[in-house]
Amino acid sequence: QVQLVESGGGLVQVGGSLRLSCAASGSISSIGLMGWYRQAPGKEREWVARITDVGTTDYADSVKGRFTISRDNAKNTVSLQMNSLKPEDTGIYYCNADLRPRWGSRSWYWGQGTQVTVSS
């Protein structure tokens, strides 16, 4: 079965850095757009960053200059390097992918999420 699994979350102090990773596994034909979202308690899930299959990136204004999204197409992974972290970056981070299973149609897949906590 196709799935996405995030890792790398944890507790970090203000100004620190953290690197999140997400691995896609299963019978995959191809992966197009990949991205990251986050959600704080009581708030809606918000988009953070995205990267195309050829490496074009885009970021939410709140993380520009601090976060970097990257991918390794050979390993079917996407990462998010987070620097200069702020308390407002706290939340559950989810990766997603526009993915085509080997025997199915392309659709959006989501990971289970990983917690990031930035303390003052």
Side-chain angles (χ1 to χ4, degrees):
Q1 299 293 325
V2 173
Q3 63 176 0
L4 302 178
V5 179
E6 301 97 334
S7 62
L11 176 65
V12 64
Q13 294 190 26
V14 171
S17 297
L18 208 59
R19 185 177 179 86
L20 308 181
S21 295
C22 172
S25 63
S27 298
I28 299 169
S29 178
S30 62
I31 303 176
L33 194 69
M34 303 185 80
W36 289 92
Y37 285 71
R38 66 187 181 188
Q39 186 170 25
K43 297 184 178 181
E44 295 183 357
R45 187 175 300 185
E46 64 175 347
W47 169 73
V48 174
R50 62 190 175 205
I51 183 168
T52 71
D53 59 337
V54 295
T56 302
T57 60
D58 197 11
Y59 300 90
D61 288 341
S62 59
V63 306
K64 284 182 179 177
R66 301 188 298 117
F67 290 13
T68 302
I69 187 171
S70 61
R71 65 190 289 168
D72 186 334
N73 292 331
K75 297 180 179 179
N76 288 336
T77 60
V78 61
S79 298
L80 187 69
Q81 177 66 45
M82 304 184 294
N83 299 326
S84 302
L85 284 163
K86 305 174 181 180
E88 51 264 44
D89 294 320
T90 293
I92 301 175
Y93 283 69
Y94 302 87
C95 72
N96 73 330
D98 181 18
L99 185 155
R100 181 177 181 174
R102 186 168 300 277
W103 310 116
S105 300
R106 180 177 293 276
S107 64
W108 284 101
Y109 286 77
W110 292 87
Q112 83 290 345
T114 185
Q115 177 69 44
V116 172
T117 303
V118 185
S119 63
S120 303

